[in-house]
Amino acid sequence: LTVVGLMVIVARSVVERRRELAIRSALGATTAKLIQLVARQGLLPVWVGAGAGVASAFAGARLLQQFLFQVTPREPLVYAAVIVVVVGVAVLASFVPARRIANMTPARVLRAE
């Protein structure tokens, strides 16, 4: 559920910026620069959220110990897997629409508005 919600939010934030990206492209920004901009600005909140989530899960792990089966409450592999999945989904969710918008002509994007 978290992954789907994250994917929708990140992809939507990129799509909402399509006019800005089209203007930047018309002013000479390359596809690589546009994708880099989207990745930097879009993934910073994801990294902060993942860090806060892992920290709070680590702090509250003892409270959940009674519900865990064959997993220690502070299993490093589980924390690493969660970070990889969340950040990986965010990267894909921001890269795909940014790439699509960057490959469109700026006039076409601006005309669609």
Side-chain angles (χ1 to χ4, degrees), residues 69-105:
F69 180 70
Q70 293 183 347
V71 177
T72 62
R74 293 191 174 120
E75 183 73 33
L77 185 61
V78 172
Y79 287 98
V82 167
I83 290 173
V84 166
V85 168
V86 167
V87 172
V89 165
V91 166
L92 286 176
S94 64
F95 178 76
V96 172
R99 181 88 172 147
R100 191 175 324 133
I101 291 169
N103 286 334
M104 294 174 70
T105 61

Side-chain angles (χ1 to χ4, degrees), residues 25-54:
S25 177
L27 293 175
T30 63
T31 302
K33 286 290 185 183
L34 292 175
I35 292 173
Q36 181 184 15
L37 174 74
V38 168
R40 188 173 357 119
Q41 291 178 350
L43 296 180
L44 180 64
V46 172
W47 277 109
V48 171
V54 166

